Amino acid sequence: MSSYPGEHTNIPKHLAESLQYQPLNHLVPKTEISALLHSTFSWTVKVNNDVMETSPSLPLNESVSFQLSSPSNSAEDPLKFKRIKLQGMDKESSSTDIFEGLSALAKSMLPHTGTVNSDLVVANAIPHSQK
Amino acid sequence: MDDRKLQIGTLYALSHEYSDHAHKIAGSVSTEDEMRQYYTLISMSIKALQAIKEQFQLTAEQDVVVTVELSDLLIKETHNLDLAEMYLSSVRERLRETTLFHEKMLIEFFLFRVAKARDDSRYTREAIRNLTNLLEMLETTNSPWSDVFRFTYIQFCEREEKPGHVAAKYLEVLERTKVHKALHSFLLCRYVCFCLENWIEIRDDLLTELLAIENSEDLPIQLILWKQFVELLVLIFKDENITSKLSDFKTILSSHKKELLASHFELSVSPEIIITVESPILQYADVKNILLFLQSVSYLTNCYDKRTNFSTKFIPKVKKTTNELIKAPHSSSLSDQGSRCSFYERLLELCAFYESLEGLILHANCEEQSIPNKYKPLVDGMKYQLELDSQKALAKFSEISNFEKDPELELITLCNVFNIHLGTISAAGQNVSLDQYKIANDTWDRIQKIYQGYGFDQNHIWRCTITILWITSHFEPFTNVQLAKTDNEPYMDQLKWYYLGNRLSGGGSGDGNNEESNTVIDKSPPLKKSLLLHFLLNYLAGSMVVHDLQEKCQVSNTCFHMGKQQAMPLMRYLAGIWNLINCSLAMKGKDVAVTKAKLSSLVQKLLESGFTET
């Protein structure tokens, strides 16, 4: 063949030299798909709470005082709640009443002192050294 | 200070009311204040249970129930795992003198849940040791609890041990749990998934067993659905046709829509021991969304073909639906809401990644999107290759370092890296340095090691790719500098085998039609459509295996046309040159003239995009 288009250019004439500029885009990664679907499963054993219906060892009218604000162990070992990052968590305030729908009894037991402290809602787990 | 006299029943109901209500509104928590209110409710729920424990004389069975619920709340909602462990341990002590076997096992189970929540290697290893001892102890009792703990055991192993060891342990566990059909089936699904994502070969008989699970068996529909998903994944990982599997889904979804409103199901190990399993993907709307997503992945390499470019049509739909699903109301703890959110976000990232690949296939370019971190160097490296910047591409590819965790990603990267090194030594020709030659050789060795060390040869796309790379790097027309051959290399036969199964009939698009239908020819099954692969296969085979000039002309002509259907101008150029040669030899003057003209305009375009005259 006398001459052909591109003969006097540096356009690769060998497949090996062309392939360096051609990623193998037919190889589609799939590992993450299986990992993702697999990871969505959570499981536990169901606990049958029938025993709570009857209190054979207690007379039916027995009751005790329930002091919700009493610090049974709050001083030394307060509950530290999980801070979860959720979508749309940047709103300043909203008008929804979270406590709406609770029974009268439940509402009345809520602490007068307000809600849980912000600093008790933390992102990271308690380090092991703390007890 | 509130100081009420409450009965145990009221207090217990109150605890449930607080946590149920909290979980109901968890989906709409969107401010700091609302989060604090949520946790106030949870705090009340916890305190009510604590008060029951502290102030009532509970029976052992009651103590177990209350403590387990208390621990569950602590695990789910707080970081106070030590507290949960303390409660459970003290009940365990109380039970020691009793014969309440079921309760003892329940406490052990929840202690392992605490260990799992710690998410720490040391605790995981300790749990594995404890489970081994427990299982040994249970050997003699023949209790169904053994299978529950086997499940727990394999989950801990997954976190801590090497994939090969875990796969072996799965085999043991599967063997032992045969008695409990539902649990066994679920574990089988998990085993197959585990093998897929670690590219470990699935044992034949177990795969057969999975496929044999009938839809009509007495299993929850969600489990049947999950089994179908796993089968679909197997097909996708093997790059096989998914059409009939899709119609299986259609049948199930149309007849079970109502049941699929719940995303959880139960596995009964015994009348007393019931396992509840939950996953966001098992709800109707999610099932359809995931199906669309999986179809997109399967059809991704077809995106150039207007008749089958499902990925181009479906991925935007999946993104839209996923964004809607994130906002859909769902009753669960705040941390479960968070997990769901993060699942959807990962799904969106994967969609963005596949869209990027599509862009690279169709247009040799893609937009910046938020894709999974592990795939970023791959996409960037591929972009640099297309921009003719080999050095930057190599730099990017070398960032992919977590190799043991993802052999697939490593192999894909190495193949591209190999091509760059091969191109370099070919271009150097006679002046090739020993170092460069060695690098190319070493890369090929690494490719072989991974390819043979995992289950890649079960996948025809991979087998064909490896064959193509070998042929390209070992024969003269394709490279100026060849890597050394040894005897008994199977690749030429493989090339022929794949070509016979996938040759391009005149003007067609690789549907594998074989005119000699009377004779039985040993040929490969048709390969999944992907333009680049079919191009390379036919280009190489047409040069090395085809001797009939007319056939050669057909193949080269078709390759030349293929090169236009997606962004691969350099491939098109090679095919054009080859076509010129073949048509000249065959005295096809018109074809020569047409090809020359098209090549000239192609050369012009290439000169504008970075190539130069010499």
Side-chain angles (χ1 to χ4, degrees):
Chain A
M1 202 163 49
S2 45
S3 82
Y4 56 92
E7 185 177 4
H8 302 291
T9 67
N10 63 356
I11 300 171
K13 322 286 189 301
H14 295 271
L15 180 60
E17 288 157 53
S18 308
L19 271 181
Q20 66 181 314
Y21 305 123
Q22 177 60 62
L24 299 171
N25 53 37
H26 66 284
L27 299 170
V28 176
K30 305 170 183 76
T31 308
E32 279 306 289
I33 303 173
S34 176
L36 182 63
L37 297 184
H38 190 184
S39 74
T40 59
F41 284 85
S42 60
W43 67 286
T44 186
V45 171
K46 231 171 147 183
V47 178
N48 187 327
N49 61 5
D50 286 345
V51 286
M52 298 307 290
E53 300 285 313
T54 56
S55 306
S57 57
L58 289 168
L60 272 171
N61 291 324
E62 168 129 3
S63 58
V64 296
S65 59
F66 177 35
Q67 292 174 313
L68 275 170
S69 321
S70 85
S72 45
N73 60 351
S74 61
E76 332 125 8
D77 206 2
L79 292 175
K80 290 224 168 66
F81 301 98
K82 292 182 182 172
R83 178 168 289 281
I84 309 291
K85 190 168 162 294
L86 290 167
Q87 282 228 343
M89 270 295 285
D90 19 315
K91 287 199 276 181
E92 278 298 308
S93 63
S94 79
S95 50
T96 44
D97 178 12
I98 293 279
F99 300 130
E100 186 186 313
L102 285 173
S103 65
L105 177 62
K107 269 194 194 166
S108 67
M109 306 288 287
L110 289 174
H112 295 306
T113 50
T115 53
V116 155
N117 260 330
S118 239
D119 54 288
L120 287 178
V121 185
V122 294
N124 299 312
I126 305 170
H128 178 64
S129 52
Q130 287 180 19
K131 256 280 176 188
Chain B
M1 288 241 181
D2 256 294
D3 200 352
R4 304 271 186 94
K5 298 264 184 212
L6 295 169
Q7 296 182 5
I8 184 174
T10 315
L11 209 45
Y12 185 63
L14 208 55
S15 171
H16 282 196
E17 185 182 350
Y18 282 128
S19 56
D20 287 347
H21 187 87
H23 292 165
K24 204 168 90 187
I25 55 96
S28 51
V29 165
S30 56
T31 68
E32 182 71 22
D33 274 347
E34 284 173 352
M35 192 184 258
R36 291 167 56 195
Q37 289 174 320
Y38 169 87
Y39 280 122
T40 306
L41 290 169
I42 297 295
S43 167
M44 299 295 284
S45 182
I46 291 174
K47 287 200 169 129
L49 291 174
Q50 286 175 318
I52 291 178
K53 270 185 75 77
E54 282 157 24
Q55 299 180 53
F56 288 93
Q57 291 220 318
L58 301 171
T59 64
E61 290 96 326
Q62 287 175 327
D63 203 358
V64 166
V65 170
V66 174
T67 306
V68 156
E69 285 190 26
L70 181 51
S71 307
D72 214 32
L73 278 171
L74 289 170
I75 294 171
K76 272 237 166 87
E77 316 274 358
T78 77
H79 298 292
N80 298 67
L81 296 173
D82 286 340
L83 187 59
E85 187 171 341
M86 185 210 82
Y87 279 123
L88 289 165
S89 299
S90 73
V91 175
R92 185 207 246 161
E93 274 309 305
R94 183 179 170 176
L95 289 172
R96 211 179 275 279
E97 299 306 313
T98 72
T99 56
L100 297 167
F101 180 72
H102 178 82
E103 283 71 14
K104 286 183 188 176
M105 293 298 104
L106 209 49
I107 295 295
E108 292 301 324
F109 178 77
F110 279 92
L111 277 164
F112 285 119
R113 269 179 84 74
V114 175
K116 186 165 169 227
R118 294 198 189 271
D119 201 14
D120 175 57
S121 196
R122 210 172 0 136
Y123 287 102
T124 305
R125 287 200 295 270
E126 191 184 333
I128 293 177
R129 284 195 295 273
N130 290 340
L131 277 160
T132 313
N133 291 337
L134 182 59
L135 284 169
E136 232 180 83
M137 197 265 288
L138 288 173
E139 272 301 306
T140 51
T141 64
N142 230 5
S143 163
W145 274 104
S146 297
D147 281 353
V148 177
F149 288 118
R150 284 193 184 105
F151 186 5
T152 313
Y153 171 72
I154 202 76
Q155 279 214 292
F156 277 113
C157 291
E158 274 191 44
R159 283 190 184 181
E160 188 63 23
E161 302 187 4
K162 286 205 148 90
H165 291 162
V166 179
K169 289 190 176 177
Y170 256 113
L171 297 178
E172 277 176 49
V173 167
L174 284 169
E175 188 59 41
R176 300 295 200 92
T177 54
K178 275 193 171 150
V179 165
H180 297 116
K181 191 153 209 314
L183 178 59
H184 178 83
S185 303
F186 184 62
L187 284 170
L188 191 54
C189 291
R190 285 191 73 88
Y191 161 72
V192 173
C193 249
F194 180 80
C195 289
L196 286 177
E197 69 207 48
N198 288 286
W199 290 88
I200 295 172
E201 252 182 79
I202 303 166
R203 223 174 66 177
D204 273 332
D205 60 324
L206 290 173
L207 188 56
T208 313
E209 197 189 323
L210 181 77
L211 296 169
I213 298 175
E214 291 281 316
N215 289 358
S216 56
E217 284 173 25
D218 198 16
L219 297 171
I221 192 65
Q222 286 89 351
L223 180 54
I224 297 290
L225 203 53
W226 173 226
K227 171 205 106 98
Q228 296 286 357
F229 267 127
V230 175
E231 286 180 21
L232 181 57
L233 284 173
V234 171
L235 292 170
I236 290 176
F237 269 67
K238 281 179 143 177
D239 283 305
E240 287 178 13
N241 192 299
I242 63 170
T243 316
S244 67
K245 183 48 66 185
L246 289 177
S247 55
D248 283 346
F249 270 99
K250 207 169 169 196
T251 317
I252 295 180
L253 287 176
S254 59
S255 44
H256 294 278
K257 187 169 176 179
K258 266 221 193 101
E259 289 133 284
L260 293 172
L261 291 175
S263 59
H264 59 267
F265 60 96
E266 289 181 356
L267 302 169
S268 242
V269 178
S270 80
E272 279 187 310
I273 309 170
I274 299 175
I275 295 176
T276 49
V277 181
E278 214 266 333
S279 167
I281 68 169
L282 299 174
Q283 250 187 343
Y284 186 77
D286 283 275
V287 172
K288 299 196 74 176
N289 195 32
I290 299 287
L291 265 180
L292 229 49
F293 173 69
L294 292 176
Q295 280 179 262
S296 304
V297 175
S298 183
Y299 285 98
L300 192 68
T301 52
N302 285 11
C303 57
Y304 67 92
D305 185 347
K306 294 277 186 313
R307 295 167 300 172
T308 53
N309 60 347
F310 299 122
S311 60
T312 317
K313 293 189 190 129
F314 291 166
I315 293 184
K317 223 174 156 206
V318 173
K319 280 165 112 173
K320 181 162 173 281
T321 307
T322 306
N323 277 312
E324 284 164 18
L325 287 169
I326 290 180
K327 301 197 193 102
H330 186 87
S331 188
S332 70
S333 70
L334 210 57
S335 76
D336 282 348
Q337 300 277 345
S339 301
R340 276 183 88 231
C341 248
S342 111
F343 159 67
Y344 288 127
E345 275 160 23
R346 278 171 77 185
L347 186 56
L348 287 171
E349 281 189 339
L350 278 175
C351 285
F353 170 61
Y354 290 120
E355 275 187 334
S356 302
L357 281 185
E358 242 184 6
L360 292 179
I361 291 175
L362 292 172
H363 316 295
N365 203 352
C366 63
E367 286 173 16
E368 283 290 320
Q369 282 199 71
S370 183
I371 70 176
N373 279 333
K374 69 192 280 192
Y375 290 140
K376 281 192 183 128
L378 179 65
V379 173
D380 290 340
M382 286 165 81
K383 267 181 169 171
Y384 279 129
Q385 275 186 286
L386 292 163
E387 288 166 19
L388 313 177
D389 195 335
S390 300
Q391 288 314 305
K392 286 216 181 102
L394 283 175
K396 273 294 160 186
F397 287 141
S398 66
E399 283 175 33
I400 297 170
S401 53
N402 242 347
F403 288 156
E404 259 183 47
K405 300 262 179 77
D406 194 346
E408 182 196 40
L409 182 57
E410 185 188 9
L411 195 54
I412 294 176
T413 311
L414 276 177
C415 288
N416 287 319
V417 166
F418 177 69
N419 284 340
I420 295 176
H421 289 313
L422 185 64
T424 308
I425 63 174
S426 178
Q430 285 175 330
N431 300 326
V432 65
S433 78
L434 197 58
D435 279 344
Q436 273 300 140
Y437 185 82
K438 191 166 183 299
I439 290 176
N441 235 342
D442 287 347
T443 312
W444 180 250
D445 286 341
R446 283 170 74 192
I447 288 176
Q448 288 284 69
K449 194 160 171 241
I450 300 180
Y451 177 71
Q452 284 161 2
Y454 293 89
F456 291 103
D457 62 354
Q458 300 286 306
N459 178 316
H460 284 295
I461 299 287
W462 272 111
R463 267 172 75 179
C464 191
T465 302
I466 296 296
T467 303
I468 285 169
L469 290 180
W470 190 90
I471 303 273
T472 308
S473 54
H474 286 74
F475 284 98
E476 205 172 321
F478 313 117
T479 172
N480 262 335
V481 176
Q482 298 96 49
L483 297 184
K485 298 187 205 64
T486 59
D487 292 332
N488 301 323
E489 299 273 24
Y491 298 107
M492 269 319 238
D493 289 335
Q494 289 274 279
L495 182 71
K496 196 168 179 188
W497 192 66
Y498 279 116
Y499 174 68
L500 289 175
N502 292 275
R503 64 179 158 198
L504 305 168
S505 44
S509 54
D511 54 3
N513 263 343
N514 193 358
E515 292 82 27
E516 302 123 61
S517 48
N518 292 327
T519 53
V520 174
I521 294 181
D522 186 22
K523 57 186 169 101
S524 80
L527 292 169
K528 192 166 94 166
K529 264 202 208 162
S530 59
L531 219 53
L532 180 60
L533 184 67
H534 283 255
F535 174 94
L536 290 171
L537 174 60
N538 281 275
Y539 179 79
L540 290 178
S543 310
M544 303 223 70
V545 162
V546 175
H547 305 295
D548 174 59
L549 190 53
Q550 292 307 316
E551 194 179 337
K552 267 174 151 30
C553 285
Q554 272 187 335
V555 178
S556 60
N557 202 15
T558 313
C559 280
F560 186 48
H561 279 102
M562 271 171 105
K564 219 179 170 190
Q565 288 179 279
Q566 58 185 56
M568 38 194 220
L570 290 177
M571 298 296 124
R572 179 164 155 82
Y573 180 74
L574 289 174
I577 300 296
W578 184 39
N579 200 31
L580 270 186
I581 298 176
N582 291 337
C583 293
S584 301
L585 286 170
M587 316 283 230
K588 297 186 182 210
K590 187 167 172 237
D591 287 331
V592 170
V594 166
T595 308
K596 237 185 186 171
K598 291 186 177 171
L599 268 179
S600 296
S601 69
L602 178 58
V603 167
Q604 278 309 114
K605 286 213 187 84
L606 284 170
L607 289 174
E608 283 160 28
S609 72
F611 291 97
T612 55
E613 313 223 347
T614 52

